[in-house]
Amino acid sequence: MPVRVLLSRRLLFPLRYQAGPVAPWRAVSTGWFPVGAAFNVKQQQRRLDVFGKNTGLFGVPELSSPEGFRIVQDNALRNTESLVEKVCSIPPSAETVRIFDQLSDELCKVADLADFVKIAHPDSSYREAAEETCRNIGTMVEKLNTNTDLCQSLRSLLGNQQVMDSLDPETRRVAELFLIDFEISGIHLDEEKRKKAVNLNVLISDLSSEFLLGAHLPNRIDKQALPEHIHSQFPWDGRYIQVSGLLADSTDDLVREAAYKIFLYPNANQLECLEELLASRNTLAQLVGYPTFAHRALLGTMAKTPETVQMFLQKLSDKLHDRLMQLDYDLRTEWHGRNFTAYETSWHGQTDINLMPWDHPYYSGVLRAERYNIEPSLYSPFFSLGACMEGLSSIFNQLLGISLFCEQPEKGEVWCEDVRKLAVVHEEEGLLGYIYCDFFHRAEKPPQDCHFTIRGGRLKENGEYQLPVVVLMLNFPEYSKKSPTLLTPGMMENLFHEMGHAMHSMLGRTRYQHVTGTRCATDFAEVPSILMEYFASDYRVVNQFARHYQTGQTLSKPMVSRLCESKKVGAASDMQLQVFYAMLDQIFHSVHPLKGSTTDILKETQETFYGLPYVPQTAWHLRFSHLAGYGAKYYSYLMSRAVASMVWKQCFMKNPFDRAMGERYRREMLAHGGGKEPLLMVQGMLQQCPSVDDLVDALVSDLDPDFETFLMDSE
C-alpha cells in the first residue's frame, strides 16, 4: 500500500508548527482568486524584487535563510523552559492543561516545520539545517517526557476530583492523554530505568530512519546473470544492472520475475537493522509495563488491543476465501491463454502452472483493462488538475459550506515556485486555514503522496483561533504548452484522498493543538481521506467536474461505472494482501523472542494469509517501510476503510450532496480531532457502535459487483 499520509508519532509534546502572527479567524481577503484556473496554467513568476522583504518559509521571518532554524529553535527552547517552570508552580486547574498545550505548541511550531523541510526543500542547506533542528528539539522532547516534576503537576490535576469534575470533556481527555504519553515513556520508573527508556527511544528513532532508508535502496547485479534480451529493461552502469522496484506493470514475465528476485534479495545489514528495531521496541514496551510493543502502540485506538486486531484480520481473511478462489481461476485462465510459453522459458525452465507473486498484479491489471476498457489515456483528458480542484471546492461547498481559493504567496513564503497556496473559507465563519499544494514532480522530491501538518489549530491566550496550516505533497506531471496537467483516474483518486486529510485538519478545530485535526488515533485518521475516495467513484460527483479540457464534453456514466467496477477486479486479492501485511506487522510486534527468524515468519504468514508461494532467497519484509512508521498499526488502513465504507453507505450513498449529513459529519467526526474517543465519534455518525463483524462485512460488501454496469455494457 502506498504511503499516503505522514502523521507524527504521539509524544507527550506532539510536534506541531505555528508560524508568526495570524489574522483573526473570520478574516477575509481581496487577494483570493478561483482555484480551477490557477491549477490549469503555469503560476506567474513574481516580478524581480531586489529590495522587497523576504517573509521567510510559511511566513516565519527568521526562515528567510537556513541559519534561521537555529534562531527559531533557540527561541522555542527558551520559551519551553519558562513554561515548564510556570506549570510546575501553579495549583491544579484548567490552566494546567492550557500551559501543557502551549508548551507542546512551542516545540511543535518549530519541529513539524523542520520535519517537512528536511525532506521536501530543494535546497540542501535548508534540509541540513532542518535536520539538525529536528534532532535538537527531539532531545528536548525526550527530556520532558521523563521530567518527574512536570508529570507530577499533571498528576496533581488528575488526582483532584473536584477540579476534574469542573473541566469540560475535551480538557479532561487532553489531560488524560498527556499522562498516558508520560507513562508510555517510563515516567513511573526509577532514574536508571528512565534513562534506559530515553536511550531506547533514541535508538528506536535512529533504527527506524535507517530501516526506512534501506527499504528504498536499489539492488545491483552483474549483467551476465540475466539474459541479454532483457538488459534494456533495467538501468545499468558498466557491468552492473540496477533494480529499484518490482516492475509489476512490465508485459514481460521474465522481467517481472527478475525484478522481484533481485529487488527482494535479502540485505544482511537491513535484516540486522530490522531485528534490532523489533527487539528494541519489545524491550521498551516491557520496561514501561506492557507485555508487547503492540499493546503499548494500540492505546487509544479504535481497536484498543492486539487481540481485537488479530480477530478482525482473521475474520476478514475467512470471508475473502471464496472470492479469492474465483479470482485465482480467472487469472489462471488468463495466464494459460497468453503467456504460458514465456513462463516455460524462464530462468529455471519451470512448467508449474501456479501463479507466482510477480504474476498476480500484472494479470489483474490485464483482466481489469480488457473487461472494462479503462485505458487511462481515455480518461485523463476529462481530469485536468484545475477541473478536479474546482470539483473538490464544489463538493466541500455543497456538503460543508466551504470553498477553496488561491492566494498569491509572499516573497520567500514557499520553497518552490510552482507551489500553490489555498485559502479554505467557510460561508459564515470566514477563513479556516491554509493548504500549500506541492503537487508537481521535481528532482529529489520524495515519491510518496503525503499530508503534513505544519501548524495545528488551537485557541490562543488572546482569544483568537490559531489557523491550521498543512502541506499536501503529490507527484503530478507538469502542464505543457499543449495541455494542462491531466490526471489519470488513480491520480485523481489520490488527490481526493489527500484533500480528505486536509479537510480533517481544517475542520478539527479543537481548543488544544495536542488533539487538533489528524492528531487522533491512527486507525481513525484515515477515515476522512478514504471516505473521499468513495465520492471520487460516484458518477453524480464526477459528473459535476469531469469535462474534456478541449471540447467541454462530460464523462459518460458508462465510462465512470466501468472505471468503478474495474477496481473490483483483483480487489479481493489486494485486500487479502493487506491482511497479510497487517498480520505480519502484528506478529513481529507480539511476544518476543519470536518463533523463528523474521524470514521464517514471513514465509509462514505469507502462505497462511496470502496463498501465493514464498520465493526462496527473497525478503519482502526488508522492503516493508511501514514497519518504521506504523509499527503494530498497519491494520489501520483496513479498519479505517471499513468505517469509511459504513459512513458512505449509510450517510452519503443516497445523496452525496446532502448538506444536513455533511454538517453531521463535521459535527460528529471532523470537529473533534483526537479530542474524543474514536469509537464515540463513529457511533455518533452511524448512530450505532460497529462490531468487528460489521466492519468485516462492510469491507467484503465493497467487492460485490454492480449489476447496473453489466446491464449498460450489454446494451
Side-chain angles (χ1 to χ4, degrees):
M1 174 172 289
V3 183
R4 281 176 153 171
V5 58
L6 210 62
L7 299 175
S8 301
R9 298 169 300 164
R10 177 173 292 284
L11 298 170
L12 169 57
F13 301 99
L15 307 182
R16 286 289 176 270
Y17 154 74
Q18 172 189 354
V22 297
W25 68 292
R26 289 182 59 86
V28 295
S29 170
T30 57
W32 294 333
F33 49 96
V35 70
F39 281 89
N40 268 354
V41 297
K42 185 177 179 65
Q43 180 150 294
Q44 291 185 342
Q45 293 188 357
R46 185 176 294 278
R47 288 178 296 178
L48 183 62
D49 186 3
V50 178
F51 302 104
K53 181 180 179 181
N54 187 323
T55 62
L57 287 173
F58 297 103
V60 180
E62 294 86 352
L63 296 184
S64 57
S65 70
E67 292 73 24
F69 271 107
R70 170 65 68 171
I71 298 173
V72 295
Q73 166 201 295
D74 290 346
N75 288 340
L77 294 178
R78 279 194 298 271
N79 291 339
T80 295
E81 291 175 357
S82 175
L83 288 166
V84 169
E85 182 177 341
K86 181 177 180 180
V87 78
C88 290
S89 64
I90 64 171
S93 66
E95 181 73 357
T96 303
V97 181
R98 188 192 65 76
I99 297 175
F100 261 81
D101 194 66
Q102 185 182 357
L103 175 58
S104 175
D105 192 56
E106 278 293 330
L107 295 171
C108 299
K109 69 184 180 183
V110 178
D112 266 3
L113 186 152
D115 198 45
F116 168 73
V117 171
K118 75 178 183 181
I119 68 168
H121 203 291
D123 186 335
S124 61
S125 60
Y126 267 98
R127 295 197 302 269
E128 291 165 6
E131 178 76 45
E132 177 66 20
T133 292
C134 285
R135 283 195 294 267
N136 293 335
I137 296 293
T139 299
M140 173 59 79
V141 168
E142 296 299 342
K143 287 175 59 178
L144 294 175
N145 281 349
T146 52
N147 183 318
T148 54
D149 291 338
L150 193 60
C151 181
Q152 185 55 47
S153 69
L154 188 63
R155 281 184 170 146
S156 296
L157 169 65
L158 291 166
N160 190 322
Q161 194 60 49
Q162 183 178 357
V163 175
M164 287 296 290
D165 288 343
S166 70
L167 303 180
D168 63 89
E170 184 182 38
T171 301
R172 287 198 299 271
R173 176 168 169 79
V174 171
E176 291 163 356
L177 289 174
F178 274 125
L179 183 61
I180 289 173
D181 294 334
F182 270 123
E183 291 175 344
I184 66 175
S185 297
I187 193 69
H188 54 289
L189 303 175
D190 60 41
E191 184 175 359
E192 182 179 349
K193 289 182 178 178
R194 285 201 305 274
K195 289 181 179 178
K196 184 178 180 180
V198 169
N199 292 335
L200 279 168
N201 273 311
V202 172
L203 176 61
I204 288 168
S205 178
D206 291 344
L207 289 169
S208 295
S209 298
E210 181 183 342
F211 182 80
L212 190 61
L213 178 64
H216 298 292
L217 291 177
N219 274 343
R220 299 201 312 162
I221 190 172
D222 193 305
K223 286 192 300 183
Q224 302 306 314
L226 295 181
E228 185 174 354
H229 72 277
I230 67 171
H231 286 184
S232 62
Q233 303 299 309
F234 302 92
W236 51 280
D237 181 18
R239 59 181 290 189
Y240 291 103
I241 279 177
Q242 184 168 283
V243 182
S244 56
L246 296 178
L247 302 185
D249 293 330
S250 173
T251 59
D252 190 319
D253 291 356
L254 187 56
V255 169
R256 296 195 309 276
E257 180 182 356
Y260 187 94
K261 291 180 176 179
I262 296 168
F263 186 62
L264 298 184
Y265 189 82
N267 178 290
N269 291 333
Q270 184 76 343
L271 179 61
E272 182 180 351
C273 177
L274 175 61
E275 290 177 344
E276 187 177 2
L277 173 61
L278 297 178
S280 298
R281 284 174 171 171
N282 182 71
T283 300
L284 175 63
Q286 293 191 333
L287 178 66
V288 298
Y290 297 92
T292 69
F293 183 80
H295 285 88
R296 178 180 182 269
L298 295 180
L299 287 175
T301 61
M302 285 196 292
K304 299 187 183 300
T305 68
E307 292 76 19
T308 300
V309 173
Q310 294 194 32
M311 178 172 65
F312 167 67
L313 296 173
Q314 183 65 63
K315 287 190 172 189
L316 179 56
S317 183
D318 293 342
K319 282 286 186 80
L320 290 172
H321 180 267
D322 291 343
R323 295 171 186 268
L324 290 170
M325 294 297 290
Q326 178 60 47
L327 176 63
D328 185 63
Y329 173 79
D330 292 344
L331 291 178
R332 287 170 186 269
T333 301
E334 177 68 24
W335 188 32
H336 276 301
R338 288 177 166 268
N339 288 292
F340 185 62
T341 302
Y343 188 77
E344 284 183 320
T345 60
S346 69
W347 285 350
H348 307 297
Q350 295 174 336
T351 58
D352 189 350
I353 64 170
N354 287 331
L355 286 168
M356 298 300 288
W358 54 83
D359 293 315
H360 204 282
Y362 173 72
Y363 285 108
S364 292
V366 170
L367 280 176
R368 189 177 300 121
E370 293 196 348
R371 284 185 180 179
Y372 295 102
N373 189 24
I374 53 159
E375 170 60 38
S377 63
L378 298 175
Y379 287 85
S380 292
F382 296 89
F383 295 140
S384 71
L385 177 55
C388 292
M389 293 302 297
E390 284 287 5
L392 283 162
S393 185
S394 175
I395 294 164
F396 295 144
N397 184 264
Q398 292 174 78
L399 282 177
L400 301 163
I402 286 172
S403 297
L404 305 177
F405 295 97
C406 269
E407 181 176 309
Q408 181 69 36
E410 298 295 329
K411 179 181 178 181
E413 186 178 352
V414 297
W415 50 101
C416 187
E417 67 177 20
D418 61 12
V419 173
R420 308 294 204 273
K421 180 182 180 183
L422 294 184
V424 181
V425 183
H426 190 271
E427 60 192 15
E428 295 179 357
E429 299 167 28
L431 180 62
L432 299 182
Y434 288 105
I435 304 170
Y436 289 84
C437 300
D438 187 354
F439 280 177
F440 302 106
H441 175 77
R442 61 176 177 271
E444 298 185 15
K445 182 179 179 180
Q448 296 92 350
D449 295 340
C450 301
H451 163 278
F452 296 84
T453 297
I454 303 298
R455 175 173 76 200
R458 73 180 182 102
L459 188 63
K460 298 197 294 184
E461 294 70 41
N462 62 5
E464 294 179 357
Y465 197 81
Q466 176 172 289
L467 298 181
V469 174
V470 303
V471 173
L472 296 187
M473 190 165 69
L474 297 105
N475 279 274
F476 295 152
E478 287 197 86
Y479 28 74
S480 67
K481 292 181 180 179
K482 295 182 178 180
S483 71
T485 293
L486 302 178
L487 307 185
T488 65
M491 291 176 184
M492 183 270 286
E493 186 175 278
N494 284 356
L495 173 62
F496 272 62
H497 179 104
E498 298 304 334
M499 284 299 295
H501 284 306
M503 282 301 107
H504 196 184
S505 292
M506 295 298 107
L507 294 174
R509 301 179 72 79
T510 55
R511 183 180 305 176
Y512 305 104
Q513 69 88 37
H514 187 69
V515 292
T516 186
T518 56
R519 293 292 304 161
C520 57
T522 308
D523 53 7
F524 181 82
E526 291 290 331
V527 174
S529 54
I530 294 174
L531 180 61
M532 287 304 300
E533 296 178 24
Y534 287 90
F535 282 92
S537 298
D538 187 278
Y539 174 72
R540 294 162 296 180
V541 174
V542 175
N543 184 56
Q544 289 204 342
F545 68 88
R547 299 285 187 277
H548 196 286
Y549 76 99
Q550 291 176 316
T551 67
Q553 177 187 357
T554 60
L555 190 61
S556 69
K557 185 174 183 180
M559 285 186 71
V560 175
S561 298
R562 285 198 298 271
L563 178 63
C564 295
E565 286 304 293
S566 72
K567 297 175 185 178
K568 298 176 184 178
V569 176
S573 179
D574 292 341
M575 192 176 291
Q576 186 67 50
L577 184 62
Q578 295 303 311
V579 171
F580 157 49
Y581 293 168
M583 189 63 82
L584 185 69
D585 176 41
Q586 288 297 305
I587 295 171
F588 279 170
H589 292 97
S590 62
V591 176
H592 280 234
L594 298 172
K595 297 177 181 178
S597 70
T598 55
T599 304
D600 290 339
I601 293 170
L602 168 72
K603 178 178 183 296
E604 180 181 351
T605 309
Q606 178 172 330
E607 293 176 350
T608 302
F609 286 97
Y610 191 39
L612 294 182
Y614 166 77
V615 179
Q617 291 300 303
T618 63
W620 174 85
H621 58 305
L622 301 184
R623 299 288 186 179
F624 188 18
S625 59
H626 286 81
L627 288 173
Y630 283 80
K633 294 182 180 180
Y634 191 78
Y635 77 93
S636 297
Y637 288 103
L638 285 169
M639 191 164 283
S640 288
R641 182 166 293 280
V643 172
S645 174
M646 294 183 72
V647 171
W648 170 257
K649 291 167 187 170
Q650 295 184 31
C651 304
F652 294 108
M653 189 165 70
K654 183 177 180 181
N655 177 9
F657 310 111
D658 187 332
R659 179 62 179 268
M661 200 59 72
E663 293 295 343
R664 182 163 122 190
Y665 176 51
R666 177 182 181 180
R667 182 177 64 252
E668 297 293 346
M669 295 192 75
L670 297 180
H672 304 287
K676 190 174 181 179
E677 286 279 353
L679 273 178
L680 291 179
M681 290 189 278
V682 174
Q683 184 175 350
M685 188 68 196
L686 298 177
Q687 305 296 296
Q688 68 176 94
C689 185
S691 66
V692 168
D693 288 328
D694 292 332
L695 297 173
V696 168
D697 289 342
L699 287 172
V700 174
S701 67
D702 278 350
L703 305 174
D704 293 336
D706 178 7
F707 291 104
E708 181 182 353
T709 302
F710 292 111
L711 291 173
M712 285 190 296
D713 286 344
S714 64
E715 291 176 353

